[in-house]
């Protein structure tokens, strides 16, 4: 997939019928370094893959559910990894860093069947500082696939 774009529900259905993969929902986990009353910290944001202002209404519920799933699993990191993430965010000098993206696409094949897939990407720097992330994101991906009936 080379382009993520915002479409209406009708446009999404048309694209799917034409064989194009459409995004059914997703979430990006962004972090950046902040100071609050002089103390260093990390701000974590959960946004749709389109950006916070471009989420179509029809996708909002699934995006919120995926964000909650990421909040409770992907970002459930131990204190040492949290400190290393703070160091990484501080090194970025306050710039936004996307550390994880999860999204679900669907397309209609020529035979009329649906090809639905779960995609995710982890920032390699995040993988280096949190050795448990690979297992947590694999669990999230499997869970979403199970809900969608993609894996037995």
């Amino acid at each position: 997939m080379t382009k993520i774009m915002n479409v209406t529900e009708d446009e999404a259905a048309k694209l799917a019928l034409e064989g194009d993969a459409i995004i059914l929902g997703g979430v990006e986990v962004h972090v950046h370094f902040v100071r609050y009353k002089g103390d260093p910290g990390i701000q974590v944001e959960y946004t749709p893959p389109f950006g916070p202002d471009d989420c179509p209404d029809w996708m909002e519920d699934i995006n919120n559910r995926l964000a909650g799933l990421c909040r409770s699993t992907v970002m459930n990191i131990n204190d040492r990894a949290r400190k290393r993430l703070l160091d990484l965010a501080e090194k970025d000098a306050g710039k936004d860093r996307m550390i994880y993206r999860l999204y679900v696409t669907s397309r209609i094949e020529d035979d009329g069947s649906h090809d639905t897939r779960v995609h995710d990407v982890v920032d390699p720097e995040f993988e280096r500082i949190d050795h448990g992330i690979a297992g947590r994101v694999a669990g999230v991906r499997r869970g979403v696939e199970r809900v969608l009936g993609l894996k037995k």
Side-chain angles (χ1 to χ4, degrees), residues 34-55:
V34 295
R35 286 200 177 272
Y36 179 73
K37 296 185 179 180
D39 293 330
I42 301 170
Q43 182 169 346
V44 180
E45 296 176 353
Y46 302 86
T47 63
F50 307 100
D53 299 326
D54 297 330
C55 177

Side-chain angles (χ1 to χ4, degrees), residues 138-149:
V140 167
R141 189 175 47 253
R142 283 191 305 270
V144 173
E145 288 170 340
R146 209 172 21 259
V147 166
L148 294 172

